């Protein structure tokens, strides 16, 4: 037993040695380097990424000034040259073969066939021996080879599927294969996303009017400066708070207090949201300079209290909603249709992320949470619950809903911590929060979360009233107050009037 503990301690020390490396030499601080994606973007290969994106912006601006009608073609040519320079011509051949395959299938205009072909093609990058065979098409041996190979191929398949499905919906003729190549080889989206569905890209990349709204350039510049500021703040935090490395040391985690452990789990999710917002934000800033309207950054994890809005990549989320979830689920009112839609959606997501134990657990819990929300809504829309809620005031109704949303919030946190860290870490946090920390830690954390959700709901209610104000009631007709005989009309039977602010808030 002592030998096992010693080996575990040595393994934990080895984890810290590999993840925590020298950082600020003059301050004597070491840096948390556990997140490969962040280090790749903003430390190890930032010069290469900055050079490639700067070249794209420069050539795109020149083309927009001289020949705006050919700008999408210039985007494609620059993207092809950049991919060829970084990965080699054999990799270009592999990508083109997948594009040609899915384009050929799209000409048949059979939706399910396009979908099955795309999923089968995507599966070839998740299982052997297809992965090794296709990886042999990449020339050279450099650190980014693995990331660029899977990123470029995976996003290519998803974009080709979007193109094929949109071509099936087109009534007159087919899209040109050149449009698919323009769409796929747009460099800012090629390796790292986000995914923009073909119908949106086609309209925006081919529009002739390139005039900008008032202060649009100023807003784009401000957005870029904000992202730069966030990168600096995260870099500072990595030298003082090792929130990514600590969850890998289970021996250390067992000595942390309940508050520290719960806070660590929450800040891991906040960091992942910040990373997604910044990485996609940098790419989105470049695409906005090209007069595109890319997918928005993901919704902040602190603002999430329903599973229906939980996502860290809005591009993938929009893709799944458009082609799977909304297509199969319809209005999302029927329980059976919703179950089929969510199962298919998370099935595609599992294939996209790569089937493994952690992904399967994450998909199961999130699929259950999404369906459980609909089951609960259906249950409470029936009698006698519906009458009870109508008899309540708006404030009381919102308080009761906030209680349920409080537990929902921590389910979302725990289910996603499972995917970001490990199953053992998620189990430890759940045990401390719900069992070992009960009642003090549990009640205090839930009460603070309840207050947070009340603030979020109030903010959303006010924003809804601003975005869609209630219309004024129509003026009564001039003779409505008297009957045809001139006598005062009898008062109409009282009708129950729903509170519009209550309906809008919900």
């Amino acid at each position: 037993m002592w030998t096992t503990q010693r080996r575990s301690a040595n393994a934990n020390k080895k984890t810290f040695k590999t993840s925590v490396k020298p950082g600020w030499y003059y301050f004597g601080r070491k840096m948390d380097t556990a997140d490969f994606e962040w280090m790749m973007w903003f430390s190890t290969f930032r010069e290469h990424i900055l050079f490639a994106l700067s070249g794209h912006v420069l050539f795109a601006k020149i083309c927009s000034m001289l020949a705006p009608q050919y700008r999408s073609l210039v985007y494609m040519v620059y993207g092809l040259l950049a991919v060829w320079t970084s990965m080699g011509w054999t990799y270009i051949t592999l990508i083109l073969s997948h594009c040609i395959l899915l384009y050929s299938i799209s000409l048949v205009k059979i939706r399910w066939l396009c979908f099955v072909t795309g999923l089968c093609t995507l599966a070839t990058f998740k299982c052997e021996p297809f992965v090794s065979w296709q990886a042999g098409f990449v020339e050279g041996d450099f650190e980014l080879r693995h990331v660029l190979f899977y990123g470029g191929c995976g996003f290519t398949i998803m974009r080709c599927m979007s193109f094929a499905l949109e071509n099936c919906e087109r009534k007159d003729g087919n899209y040109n294969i050149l449009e698919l190549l323009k769409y796929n080889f747009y460099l800012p989206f090629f390796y790292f996303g986000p995914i923009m569905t073909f119908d949106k890209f086609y309209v925006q990349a081919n529009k002739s009017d390139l005039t900008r709204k008032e202060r649009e350039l100023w807003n784009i510049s401000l957005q870029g400066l904000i992202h730069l500021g966030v990168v600096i703040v995260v870099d500072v935090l990595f030298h003082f708070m090792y929130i990514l490395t600590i969850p890998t040391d289970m021996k250390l985690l067992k000595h942390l207090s309940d508050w520290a452990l719960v806070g660590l789990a929450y800040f891991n999710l906040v960091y992942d949201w910040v990373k997604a917002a910044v990485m996609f934000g940098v790419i989105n800033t470049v695409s906005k300079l090209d007069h595109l309207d890319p997918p928005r950054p993901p919704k902040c994890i602190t603002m999430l209290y329903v599973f229906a809005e939980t996502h860290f990549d809005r591009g993938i989320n929009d893709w799944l909603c458009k082609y799977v979830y909304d297509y199969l689920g319809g209005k999302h009112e029927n329980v059976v249709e919703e179950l089929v839609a969510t199962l298919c959606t998370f099935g595609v997501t599992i294939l996209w992320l790569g089937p493994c134990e952690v992904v399967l657990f994450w998909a199961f819990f999130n699929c259950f949470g999404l369906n459980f929300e609909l089951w609960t809504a259906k249950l409470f829309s029936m009698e006698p619950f519906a009458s009870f809620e109508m008899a309540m005031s708006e404030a009381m109704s919102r308080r009761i809903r906030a209680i349920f949303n409080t537990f929902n919030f921590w389910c979302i946190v725990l289910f996603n911590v499972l995917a970001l860290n490990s199953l053992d870490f998620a189990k430890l946090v759940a045990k401390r929060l719900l069992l070992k920390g009960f009642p003090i830690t549990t009640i205090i954390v839930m009460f603070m979360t309840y207050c947070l959700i009340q603030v979020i709901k109030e903010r959303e209610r006010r924003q809804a009233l601003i975005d869609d104000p209630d219309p004024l009631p129509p003026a009564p007709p001039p003779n409505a107050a008297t009957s045809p005989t001139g006598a005062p009309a009898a008062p109409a039977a009282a009708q129950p009037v729903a509170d519009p602010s209550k309906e809008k808030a919900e």
Side-chain angles (χ1 to χ4, degrees):
M1 181 178 177
W2 179 81
T3 306
T4 305
Q5 291 177 346
R6 186 175 179 182
R7 287 177 180 173
S8 176
N10 291 335
N12 294 331
K13 288 180 180 179
K14 191 177 294 184
T15 301
F16 265 85
K17 284 183 179 180
T18 56
S19 299
V20 180
K21 296 182 179 179
W24 294 340
Y25 175 78
Y26 293 103
F27 293 95
R29 301 298 308 180
K30 291 188 176 182
M31 183 179 183
D32 190 344
T33 61
D35 191 337
F36 172 77
E37 279 186 304
W38 185 273
M39 298 304 298
M40 174 191 70
W41 265 81
F42 302 108
S43 180
T44 314
F45 294 97
R46 62 186 174 193
E47 291 84 4
H48 302 79
I49 296 173
L50 185 63
F51 177 78
L53 292 179
S54 299
H56 172 87
V57 171
L58 178 63
F59 282 102
K61 184 62 178 176
I62 294 174
C63 180
S64 297
M65 294 172 60
L66 299 180
Q69 67 273 22
Y70 298 114
R71 62 192 182 96
S72 59
L73 191 62
V74 172
Y75 299 159
M76 182 197 73
V77 172
Y78 182 85
L80 273 167
L81 291 175
V83 174
W84 173 62
T85 304
S86 58
M87 301 292 283
W89 68 269
T90 52
Y91 181 75
I92 292 285
T93 305
L94 175 65
I95 295 295
L96 288 175
S97 66
H98 286 297
C99 292
I100 293 172
L101 171 64
L102 283 164
Y103 177 77
S104 303
I105 297 296
S106 71
L107 298 178
V108 184
K109 295 205 175 219
I110 301 176
R111 187 184 178 90
W112 67 266
L113 183 61
C114 295
F115 216 97
V116 170
T117 305
L119 293 180
C120 291
T121 309
L122 185 62
T124 61
F125 294 98
K126 308 297 180 182
C127 58
E128 294 290 351
F130 304 104
V131 177
S132 301
W133 177 71
Q134 294 182 97
F137 283 86
V138 182
E139 297 176 350
D141 186 17
F142 53 98
E143 191 175 354
L144 266 184
R145 175 180 179 270
H146 183 78
V147 177
L148 297 183
F149 170 76
Y150 283 104
C153 292
F155 282 112
T156 291
I157 301 303
M158 300 298 276
R159 282 188 290 264
C160 289
M161 288 177 68
S162 176
F163 173 88
L165 294 171
E166 293 296 334
N167 194 59
C168 292
E169 297 296 325
R170 188 172 186 179
K171 303 300 181 183
D172 49 337
N174 299 289
Y175 290 107
N176 195 309
I177 191 172
L178 186 62
E179 298 297 338
L180 172 59
L181 298 180
K182 292 178 184 177
Y183 171 51
N184 186 58
F185 285 101
Y186 179 68
L187 184 63
F189 294 165
F190 183 80
Y191 285 120
F192 307 110
I195 289 180
M196 189 177 182
T197 54
F198 175 74
D199 56 332
K200 295 179 181 178
F201 182 87
Y202 178 76
V203 172
Q204 296 175 22
N206 292 291
K207 65 179 181 181
S208 56
D209 183 15
L210 300 183
T211 56
R212 296 189 182 275
K213 299 177 182 178
E214 186 179 358
R215 297 179 63 83
E216 183 178 353
L217 272 178
W218 165 256
N219 292 332
I220 295 174
S221 304
L222 181 62
Q223 188 181 32
L225 291 175
I226 291 174
H227 292 144
L228 178 61
V230 173
V231 171
I232 295 173
V233 170
V234 172
D235 191 68
V236 172
L237 291 178
F238 276 170
H239 287 83
F240 291 92
M241 298 175 64
Y242 306 108
I243 60 173
L244 302 180
T245 300
I246 291 176
T248 62
D249 188 349
M250 295 303 297
K251 187 176 180 180
L252 174 61
L253 291 174
K254 292 176 181 178
H255 290 86
L256 295 180
S257 66
D258 298 340
W259 286 98
L261 197 61
V262 171
L264 183 64
Y266 172 72
F267 279 111
N268 264 262
L269 278 184
V270 171
Y271 162 73
D272 198 71
W273 170 78
V274 170
K275 180 180 74 171
V278 172
M279 290 173 60
F280 290 138
V282 171
I283 294 175
N284 289 353
T285 301
V286 174
S287 61
K288 286 179 180 178
L289 292 174
D290 295 334
H291 301 272
L292 299 180
D293 184 19
R296 293 175 296 158
K299 191 174 182 180
C300 178
I301 183 64
T302 307
M303 307 286 286
L304 294 176
Y305 55 85
V306 289
F307 280 90
E309 296 182 355
T310 305
H311 57 266
F312 290 88
D313 183 345
R314 199 180 291 267
I316 289 290
N317 182 74
D318 293 346
W319 192 100
L320 290 170
C321 286
K322 180 178 177 63
Y323 299 119
V324 186
Y325 184 59
D326 291 339
Y327 183 81
L328 297 175
K331 296 182 179 180
H332 305 290
E333 295 176 351
N334 184 280
V335 174
V336 177
E337 289 181 354
E338 180 74 3
L339 180 61
V340 172
T342 51
L343 287 174
C344 293
T345 301
F346 280 101
V348 176
T349 307
I350 290 171
L351 185 60
W352 165 251
L353 296 175
C356 64
E357 183 184 16
V358 171
V359 172
L360 291 174
F361 275 117
W362 170 85
F364 170 78
F365 286 122
N366 279 273
C367 183
F368 172 78
L370 195 59
N371 281 279
F372 188 73
E373 283 180 352
L374 178 63
W375 301 339
T376 307
K378 285 288 185 183
L379 176 64
F380 283 93
S381 65
M382 299 177 182
E383 295 295 341
F385 302 108
S387 299
F388 289 160
E389 185 172 10
M390 289 304 297
M392 294 178 188
S393 63
E394 177 190 351
M396 181 57 69
S397 174
R398 195 170 69 177
R399 291 189 191 105
I400 295 175
R401 288 174 179 266
I403 293 174
F404 286 98
N405 294 143
T406 299
F407 292 98
N408 228 23
F409 178 90
W410 280 103
C411 286
I412 293 171
V413 171
L414 291 174
F415 295 166
N416 286 280
V417 162
L418 167 68
L420 295 177
N421 298 103
S422 66
L423 180 60
D424 292 334
F425 179 58
K427 287 165 60 178
L428 182 62
V429 174
K431 182 179 178 181
R432 289 287 196 89
L433 177 62
L434 302 175
L435 299 178
K436 190 175 180 181
F438 187 84
I440 304 299
T441 304
T442 307
I443 293 175
I444 294 176
V445 169
M446 293 300 176
F447 178 73
M448 293 175 63
T449 308
Y450 169 83
C451 296
L452 172 66
I453 289 175
Q454 285 283 26
V455 173
I456 296 171
K457 281 179 171 288
E458 177 62 19
R459 179 182 177 274
E460 291 177 346
R461 186 187 70 85
R462 293 185 179 184
Q463 188 63 41
L465 293 173
I466 293 173
D467 295 340
D468 185 20
D470 291 320
L472 294 174
N479 298 327
T482 59
S483 65
T485 59
Q495 298 291 333
V497 180
D499 185 356
S501 61
K502 183 174 180 178
E503 291 179 356
K504 187 177 293 297
E506 299 305 332

